[in-house]
Amino acid sequence: MHRYRSHNCGALRKSDVGNETRLSGWVHRVRDHGGLLFIDLRDHYGITQCVIDPDSPVFNLAETVRSEWVLCIEGAVRERADDAVNKNLPTGEIEIFLEKLEVLAECPELPLPVFGEQDYPEDIRLKYRFLDLRRERIHNNILKRGRIMSSIRQRMVEEGFFEFQTPILTASSPEGARDFLVPSRMHPGKFYALPQAPQQFKQLTMIAGFDRYFQIAPCFRDEDARADRSPGEFYQLDIEMSFVEQEDVFQAVEPVLRGLFEEFGDGQPVTQKFPRIPYAEAIQKYGNDKPDLRNPIIMEDATDHFRGSGFKIFAGQIENDDKVRVWAIPAKTGGSRAFCDRMNSWAQGEGQPGLGYIFFRDGEGAGPIAKNIGEERTSAIRSQLGLEDGDAVFFVCGDPKKFASFAGDARTRAGETLDLVAKDRFDFCWIVDFPMFEWDEQEEKVDFSHNPFSMPQGGLDALENQDPLTINAWQYDIVCNGIELSSGAIRNHRPEIMKKAFEIAGYEESVLEEKFGGMLRALTYGAPPHGGIAPGIDRIVMLLCGEENLREVVMFPMNQQAEDSLMGAPSEVSARQLRDLHIRLNLPKTPAS
RNA sequence: GGGGGUGUAGCUCAGUUGGUUAGAGCGCUGGCCUGUCACGCCAGAGGCCGCGGGUUCGAGUCCCGUCACUCCCGCCA
């Protein structure tokens, strides 16, 4: 018999009754009846109930075991009496009658109970992550993550993609987030950077004549954390393809994600054909570029209903400024003064002057705005938005650039408060036609709004003849349930277009040469048209596990301050190490202690 | 860098208007218990109320500062 086990703790069934077995695992739970003792033994595979009575030679030892001790036990598989069967366990029809017991490891009182699914403080969970990971829910999340990884690889290969590896120690990139730097011992004063994404490498892979690249790529960015954004490092399903247009990327990626979510989404419906929503339309209808389509509320322009109306606050603004618009946020079933007032005071809490509204009852509109604009206009608004008695509509007025995000928040809040948001489904969409450039208010100049490597729609002609702020890029996002899952683009593979784009954004050609010299050189030697995308793996797993926080699907995450309290990272290093790297510390002043 | 929330036993939490010796559940220790599976019953140990200062006759409670964790803003091509 094997030194530690003949079976695992999830394996034994009725058909094994009578056999001698050996199991090893952790003490999950002990139930001591004095003359009868139950020990639930747990391992990766499951839980098996062990039973000991005073006839057993190891009864006295068994009485001393505590939670999370590691045991190796031996005994006969017994069938449980009908009324003792535990239907909640796969092994619930049998138990082991203990004949031998070896304590492999003991365990002191636990800072973090493994048994049960109570919530525990994040810092303790991370410090004792090895205990936390024994718990059922997160243990299963990590397993699901692994299965998702395998499925992704299989699906990508089936779609004709090939997996590549790109460097981890690379050069600092001038664009994007702050880099993590690694000092060079051989080149004093010089640094490697960890890649923020293998963006340039995957493009170089295409230029090198490979086709259909993918990689489950670690990405490193020194930026602050959020619930859905790990500090430091995360993984992307990095994809790039040659000789493609936007539509080809969509056709390649959409079935992978749809299939993945159907496989791991526990039967929740998944969007069959992802709708494509232009960026400008997403802003107008949903107030942001990552709309949660489970929320049925769609905003509409209602400016004309207020132009020259008796509601002077809006009418005056419309009169004075061409840019001013009124957006209507329809709220089905929100037609009560109480709800409308709650929304209004929420808006004031958000720093807004308020949130105007009309609510409909007894066949007419109620509230101050309805009184001011009169019956005819109120009725026109109602029919435009398809509202009925018992519904409400909210209004925001001003320059859409400034209020769009607040309007989007109001849409989200109304949908959630009124319970209009569909549950248990994955609603995908593509956001397309992102603007190539945007006006930088602080610098008072035109700048790239997204990725400088994206191809402008209309190519060189558009750059030379169009108002830059009206040019769109072949740039797209995938959004699921209001979470931005990935961002991608058809790349700019023409050096002269690249130079022109940087010129418009106010960069000298020398800057382009200096910062992207390697890339530019590659583009001049026959670059194929190419494009790709990079879905965020951690966020995909988070959605599929039904978790709200990335740390629930990452084995060893850092805390919000980007510290690993288990391994003690970041840490000080020895003077010798610093000397090797030609580094002298220049620490910030701390208050005298 | 900024804003919000939290911080009381190993863990989860309660703690009234500022008023005697700071409580409960789980866990831990001891005792009882032969069919439990969140076993049950009895007893016990366990507290710098995050830390520092202040107000007060008196502070877990009020004020100021600070630290930790977390959520958000900034940041994230």
Side-chain angles (χ1 to χ4, degrees):
Chain A
M1 200 181 276
H2 185 269
R3 165 71 177 86
Y4 293 115
R5 55 187 175 191
S6 61
H7 298 77
N8 66 51
C9 293
L12 293 168
R13 296 290 183 274
K14 218 169 175 175
S15 55
D16 298 297
V17 166
N19 294 340
E20 285 293 315
T21 58
R22 185 179 286 168
L23 302 182
S24 286
W26 288 263
V27 175
H28 190 60
R29 194 87 176 146
V30 178
R31 291 176 297 281
D32 187 349
H33 289 234
L36 189 67
L37 183 64
F38 297 98
I39 297 174
D40 289 339
L41 200 65
R42 182 198 72 238
D43 67 9
H44 175 76
Y45 305 95
I47 291 177
T48 299
Q49 174 167 286
C50 304
V51 57
I52 309 100
D53 72 16
D55 296 337
S56 167
V58 292
F59 182 76
N60 288 339
L61 177 58
E63 277 199 304
T64 67
V65 307
R66 292 292 175 265
S67 291
E68 299 308 310
W69 286 25
V70 184
L71 308 181
C72 179
I73 63 103
E74 212 174 311
V77 182
R78 281 203 326 205
E79 184 173 358
R80 296 204 205 176
D82 283 351
D83 59 350
V85 166
N86 185 344
K87 292 195 171 62
N88 298 322
L89 289 181
T91 61
E93 287 189 310
I94 57 93
E95 63 195 7
I96 313 280
F97 187 78
L98 264 191
E99 288 146 19
K100 289 185 184 167
L101 168 61
E102 181 188 359
V103 176
L104 299 175
E106 296 188 5
C107 173
E109 189 175 350
L110 296 164
L112 182 99
V114 172
F115 178 80
E117 284 297 319
Q118 208 169 4
D119 286 333
Y120 298 102
E122 204 73 59
D123 47 344
I124 293 178
R125 291 183 58 194
L126 295 183
K127 184 171 178 186
Y128 297 94
R129 191 61 161 179
F130 47 88
L131 290 177
D132 194 33
L133 286 166
R134 289 180 194 170
R135 300 167 68 214
E136 189 178 5
R137 176 164 159 183
I138 190 164
H139 201 87
N140 288 337
N141 283 353
I142 298 304
L143 292 180
K144 191 167 192 173
R145 183 185 176 112
R147 292 189 198 102
I148 290 169
M149 293 296 170
S150 300
S151 179
I152 285 174
R153 286 205 162 88
Q154 190 188 325
R155 288 169 189 279
M156 291 306 290
V157 170
E158 279 169 8
E159 291 268 343
F161 286 89
F162 196 83
E163 187 168 5
F164 293 80
Q165 291 80 47
T166 54
I168 299 299
L169 291 176
T170 180
S172 179
S173 145
E175 288 289 327
R178 198 174 287 118
D179 284 316
F180 278 102
L181 298 176
V182 179
S184 164
R185 173 181 57 83
M186 297 176 70
H187 301 277
K190 292 187 175 176
F191 293 82
Y192 303 94
L194 306 183
Q196 295 185 23
Q199 176 67 36
Q200 294 193 56
F201 286 116
K202 70 174 174 178
Q203 292 193 237
L204 290 166
T205 306
M206 295 300 97
I207 295 168
F210 297 100
D211 203 337
R212 292 173 95 84
Y213 149 105
F214 90 97
Q215 176 178 201
I216 294 178
C219 303
F220 306 90
R221 296 178 191 175
D222 187 1
E223 60 193 8
D224 288 348
R226 291 287 183 280
D228 63 352
R229 200 170 76 199
S230 299
E233 55 187 76
F234 59 95
Y235 284 83
Q236 284 183 344
L237 168 56
D238 203 34
I239 297 174
E240 198 73 5
M241 309 158 73
S242 279
F243 304 110
V244 291
E245 298 187 288
Q246 176 170 290
E247 190 60 31
D248 299 305
V249 177
F250 290 7
Q251 293 300 330
V253 173
E254 203 173 305
V256 171
L257 282 184
R258 185 170 55 236
L260 198 63
F261 275 71
E262 281 173 343
E263 181 179 358
F264 293 100
D266 297 326
Q268 299 178 55
V270 181
T271 310
Q272 286 305 298
K273 176 143 179 53
F274 300 1
R276 292 98 195 267
I277 305 174
Y279 172 85
E281 183 184 326
I283 299 293
Q284 154 71 70
K285 285 183 170 173
Y286 310 106
N288 62 52
D289 60 2
K290 42 179 182 171
D292 187 346
L293 296 181
R294 295 174 304 172
N295 182 343
I297 296 176
I298 295 177
M299 304 191 293
E300 292 189 31
D301 191 298
T303 312
D304 286 342
H305 299 297
F306 288 91
R307 196 185 303 281
S309 75
F311 191 59
K312 298 297 179 199
I313 304 175
F314 284 9
Q317 290 185 63
I318 295 168
E319 193 71 30
N320 291 334
D321 188 344
D322 282 350
K323 289 202 296 290
V324 166
R325 292 285 177 279
V326 178
W327 285 4
I329 308 165
K332 283 271 181 196
T333 75
S336 72
R337 191 177 296 278
F339 171 69
C340 292
D341 283 346
R342 269 210 310 281
M343 285 293 288
N344 185 51
S345 42
W346 163 79
Q348 287 167 346
E350 296 289 296
Q352 299 291 327
L355 191 56
Y357 59 83
I358 299 175
F359 64 99
F360 298 96
R361 62 172 181 201
D362 307 326
E364 59 178 14
I369 290 184
K371 280 201 189 72
N372 277 303
I373 64 175
E375 205 173 309
E376 196 176 320
R377 288 170 183 265
T378 301
S379 159
I381 289 171
R382 174 185 191 152
S383 67
Q384 181 188 333
L385 297 165
L387 297 173
E388 301 166 4
D389 273 4
D391 299 339
V393 53
F394 298 92
F395 301 98
V396 287
C397 176
D399 178 354
K401 275 200 179 61
K402 297 192 174 121
F403 73 56
S405 124
F406 163 69
D409 290 348
R411 167 184 178 268
T412 300
R413 187 171 177 86
E416 282 173 357
T417 312
L418 297 171
D419 205 22
L420 303 176
V421 181
K423 293 183 178 64
D424 301 325
R425 51 184 301 127
F426 295 110
D427 278 1
F428 280 89
C429 63
W430 292 98
I431 305 296
V432 300
D433 299 339
F434 278 85
M436 181 82 189
F437 300 102
E438 66 187 4
W439 183 252
D440 185 331
E441 293 279 354
Q442 284 185 348
E443 307 266 327
E444 297 199 329
K445 73 179 211 29
V446 171
D447 202 356
F448 293 111
S449 69
H450 243 82
N451 184 333
F453 295 137
S454 299
M455 181 68 96
Q457 295 184 20
L460 192 58
D461 183 54
L463 293 183
E464 281 173 343
N465 300 312
Q466 225 174 303
D467 173 1
L469 294 175
T470 67
I471 300 173
N472 288 334
W474 292 114
Q475 169 94 39
Y476 36 83
D477 281 2
I478 296 175
V479 174
C480 177
N481 290 1
I483 292 178
E484 183 189 319
L485 275 192
S486 40
S487 187
I490 297 300
R491 318 300 172 189
N492 188 341
H493 70 288
R494 301 274 296 276
E496 70 276 19
I497 302 180
M498 182 88 84
K499 283 173 191 165
K500 183 68 187 170
F502 274 79
E503 183 191 319
I504 288 172
Y507 297 100
E508 300 282 329
E509 192 171 328
S510 61
V511 175
L512 181 58
E513 288 285 353
E514 182 188 331
K515 312 243 182 195
F516 302 105
M519 193 69 213
L520 202 58
R521 189 160 63 247
L523 290 180
T524 60
Y525 283 89
H530 61 289
I533 194 164
I537 300 261
D538 307 85
R539 285 183 183 174
I540 289 174
V541 177
M542 187 171 92
L543 278 172
L544 287 172
C545 288
E547 297 288 359
E548 303 267 313
N549 193 304
L550 276 178
R551 287 184 296 268
E552 302 300 330
V553 298
V554 175
M555 269 219 279
F556 299 104
M558 296 197 285
N559 67 14
Q560 199 172 37
Q561 278 67 244
E563 296 163 324
D564 176 344
S565 52
L566 178 55
M567 301 302 287
S571 62
E572 291 174 350
V573 297
S574 69
R576 167 74 186 271
Q577 285 170 298
L578 289 176
R579 203 159 54 235
D580 280 351
L581 295 169
H582 322 285
I583 285 178
R584 185 180 302 144
L585 298 180
N586 177 18
L587 300 175
K589 288 192 183 77
T590 52
S593 48

